[in-house]
Amino acid sequence: MNATRTLKLVSLALATALLGGGAWLAQSGLKRLAFERQQHGQLQSALDNARRLVPEVQQREQLVRSIKDVALQVDRMGFDPSQWGERRLRRSQGPATRAEAAQFLGELGRGGAGAIFVADLFDIATVSPEASLFIPPLPGDQGLVLGVSGTLHFQTVSVSQPFRVKP
């Protein structure tokens, strides 16, 4: 009877140890599962952020390709940026006569192919509501409002040959 009892106690101890080990493994597995779920959430968030950035990256790649295309065309035309300078021009928006406006705008275009004006702001309007920019002024014309700002690019070296296209 004593042997049976010992066998039962050993079986109980063994079952208790196995149960404790199983509980420990289950707890460890649950901790690992919680960690894996947290990591999955972080990776999912990073993936969502990356997917949101894809259009911007594609747009930047397209811009780089466009810049390279323009640089290639400029090179084929024989354009040398070191032979050009630039000057910022600004005329605050304000009243001007038609003669003043014509003179100012004429001076911008006077450089011909050797000067290029790139406007950031160009605003011209008649003061009188019944007046027009495109027909001669009527008696009582109150003039114009003119405002211009931009960059004038001009050649610093005289170029005897026009731009050419290389084959």
Side-chain angles (χ1 to χ4, degrees):
M1 183 146 173
N2 205 6
T4 310
R5 189 174 206 202
T6 304
L7 184 61
K8 285 182 182 179
L9 283 175
V10 168
S11 297
L12 182 63
L14 187 58
T16 304
L18 285 175
L19 184 62
W24 180 80
L25 284 175
Q27 182 184 15
S28 175
L30 288 173
K31 283 182 182 179
R32 181 77 179 162
L33 177 63
F35 175 76
E36 295 293 335
R37 283 184 175 165
Q38 179 186 13
Q39 211 172 24
H40 175 265
Q42 290 172 346
L43 290 173
Q44 188 66 41
S45 175
L47 177 62
D48 292 343
N49 288 338
R51 283 184 177 151
R52 273 195 305 272
L53 291 176
V54 166
E56 183 180 341
V57 169
Q58 290 172 339
Q59 185 180 21
R60 287 184 182 195
E61 287 175 346
Q62 178 62 34
L63 180 61
V64 168
R65 283 192 295 273
S66 296
I67 289 171
K68 286 180 180 177
D69 289 346
V70 167
L72 184 62
Q73 289 175 1
V74 165
D75 187 48
R76 281 188 18 232
M77 292 173 64
F79 179 79
D80 184 4
S82 67
Q83 296 179 350
W84 288 75
E86 67 178 47
R87 189 78 54 182
R88 291 288 300 164
L89 296 178
R90 182 171 188 269
R91 184 187 190 285
S92 297
Q93 189 170 3
T97 66
R98 288 179 184 263
E100 291 170 342
Q103 181 183 357
F104 180 80
L105 297 174
E107 287 175 5
L108 287 180
R110 192 164 288 147
I116 301 168
F117 181 69
V118 180
D120 298 325
L121 168 80
F122 182 85
D123 188 19
I124 186 167
T126 60
V127 175
S128 305
E130 63 278 349
S132 171
L133 292 172
F134 307 106
I135 60 172
L138 301 171
D141 181 53
Q142 297 177 12
L144 304 172
V145 174
L146 177 65
V148 177
S149 83
T151 306
L152 178 65
H153 300 274
F154 55 92
Q155 286 183 319
T156 57
V157 176
S158 176
V159 179
S160 60
Q161 296 178 358
F163 293 126
R164 65 199 179 286
V165 177
K166 295 179 185 175

